Amino acid sequence: MQRPIVPILIALMVGIAGSVLYRIPDFPVQLCLAMVLVAILLASVRKRTGLLGRLLPAAFFLLGLLAMNRLLYAPPAGDHILHAVGREPLTVEGTVCDNPRFSPDRTELVVCASRILLSGRYQGVSGRVLLNVRDPYPFRYGDWIRFRSRLRVPHNFMNPGAFDYERYLLLRGILVRGSVNDGSGYVVLRRNAGGGFRTALERFRDRIRETVLARSPGTEGQIILAMILGDSKGIPRAVMEKFNQTGTTHIIAISGFNIVIVAAFTLFVVWRILKSSEYVLLRWNATVVATIAAILTVVLFTFVAGCG
């Protein structure tokens, strides 16, 4: 095959989509994957390239099924905070493990729970909690917080054709949500409790956000932040509705459209710089160097945009 990556990616995508649309138990998929891997090993030993070209997509199709099964259907761990959800409010401690999303009426946090307070004693837990705070406090990634809230399990409204909010949260690893109405329901115990690289990355994102809002504090600044950081929570609903009506929402979403712009701009600039130097052209392949630069820029942009 001249382009072996294409059928492999297509097979992986079909596996992911198949698991989303229809649940297949893990065991038969794992059994089939083991058989396919053994066949791949035998085909490699015997140098049957034609057979390998058919077996590799099959393996990636099965891997796509297993990956989505793990996200959508795997039972929660025994210490998951989901098991503590009830009618009474809980006191929870944990780390803000995703960059907070700010909007005019609330702040959305994803908290990796570490422990809860039950009957005056702390009990270790795990799991991610989606917490909505109706307060303008400037939370940051890595904040260790304590909050008190009545936790709930997310559910859809069961309207035909409506957005599947429950599945959306499952894909983010969130099984529990809660809310805090004012500052009396939470306290930030300490800062910078997250990982070193992620903390540095989120600080860089915060500097971008502060710079953009300082120079363009209105709706225009919020649109720029959506295009660069993938954070569209600050865009007014009326403006978002206009984007939806005109079919241009993809402009303010981190998608292939943004990636193509970044990659094409980098290719053009680097290629023109290389073409201007005879010394470089005699020693390097300008197209290859420009392509590598574009790939590295896209990877950097992916991290800056929050890896969404």
Side-chain angles (χ1 to χ4, degrees):
M1 292 185 296
Q2 294 182 349
R3 296 181 175 88
I5 195 68
V6 174
I8 287 175
L9 288 178
I10 292 175
L12 180 63
M13 293 163 60
V14 172
I16 291 173
S19 180
V20 171
L21 296 174
Y22 181 76
R23 181 179 181 180
I24 302 176
D26 282 351
F27 180 72
V29 178
Q30 292 168 347
L31 183 61
C32 291
L33 180 60
M35 296 170 62
V36 171
L37 291 177
V38 171
I40 289 174
L41 179 61
L42 295 175
S44 300
V45 171
R46 297 181 181 181
K47 298 181 179 180
R48 302 283 297 275
T49 56
L51 183 59
L52 273 176
R54 293 187 291 271
L55 290 173
L56 283 174
F60 276 85
F61 167 77
L62 296 171
L63 285 173
L65 288 175
L66 289 176
M68 293 307 295
N69 281 356
R70 177 178 174 272
L71 284 174
L72 295 177
Y73 310 119
D79 64 343
H80 199 284
I81 194 171
L82 175 67
H83 301 301
V85 172
R87 295 184 178 181
E88 297 299 323
L90 284 176
T91 299
V92 184
E93 289 187 12
T95 307
V96 178
C97 50
D98 273 350
N99 199 45
R101 298 184 178 184
F102 302 97
S103 60
D105 59 341
R106 64 178 178 174
T107 300
E108 184 179 281
L109 306 174
V110 177
V111 180
C112 289
S114 296
R115 59 183 186 176
I116 58 177
L117 186 63
L118 289 176
S119 303
R121 299 182 61 183
Y122 282 106
Q123 175 180 323
V125 294
S126 63
R128 293 157 62 91
V129 180
L130 180 66
L131 183 66
N132 288 314
V133 181
R134 299 182 183 275
D135 196 81
Y137 189 87
F139 294 96
R140 296 199 298 265
Y141 168 82
D143 287 350
W144 180 277
I145 69 172
R146 177 190 296 150
F147 66 90
R148 185 169 178 80
S149 174
R150 181 178 290 107
L151 302 181
R152 298 179 175 85
V153 178
H155 291 292
N156 293 327
F157 291 105
M158 307 305 292
N159 295 326
F163 175 67
D164 195 339
Y165 182 66
E166 185 177 349
R167 178 171 292 173
Y168 165 74
L169 292 182
L170 277 175
L171 292 174
R172 297 174 62 188
I174 298 172
L175 303 179
V176 178
R177 66 181 180 90
S179 61
V180 176
N181 292 326
D182 53 52
S184 63
Y186 68 88
V187 59
V188 178
L189 300 177
R190 66 175 183 269
R191 298 282 194 180
N192 302 325
F197 172 76
R198 182 67 185 272
T199 299
L201 177 63
E202 295 301 341
R203 286 179 180 175
F204 180 65
R205 284 164 51 87
D206 288 339
R207 285 197 293 269
I208 294 176
R209 181 180 290 103
E210 293 167 1
T211 301
V212 171
L213 294 180
R215 287 163 173 75
S216 184
T219 303
E220 297 82 0
Q222 296 295 339
I223 293 175
I224 293 172
L225 290 179
M227 297 176 66
I228 297 176
L229 302 181
D231 185 3
S232 59
K233 290 287 186 179
I235 300 178
R237 293 183 180 178
V239 177
M240 283 295 299
E241 186 62 29
K242 292 179 181 179
F243 276 106
N244 293 331
Q245 291 174 353
T246 56
T248 54
T249 311
H250 61 279
I251 295 177
I252 57 174
I254 301 299
S255 62
F257 178 82
N258 306 67
I259 298 297
V260 168
I261 292 176
V262 172
F265 179 77
T266 306
L267 276 170
F268 176 76
V269 171
V270 175
W271 187 81
R272 289 300 297 267
I273 292 174
L274 295 175
K275 293 282 284 186
S276 64
S277 173
E278 183 178 346
Y279 175 83
V280 172
L281 287 177
L282 291 174
R283 289 162 177 79
W284 301 94
N285 186 318
T287 303
V288 173
V289 174
T291 302
I292 293 175
I295 292 173
L296 294 176
T297 304
V298 166
V299 171
L300 176 62
F301 176 66
T302 302
F303 280 105
V304 171
C307 300

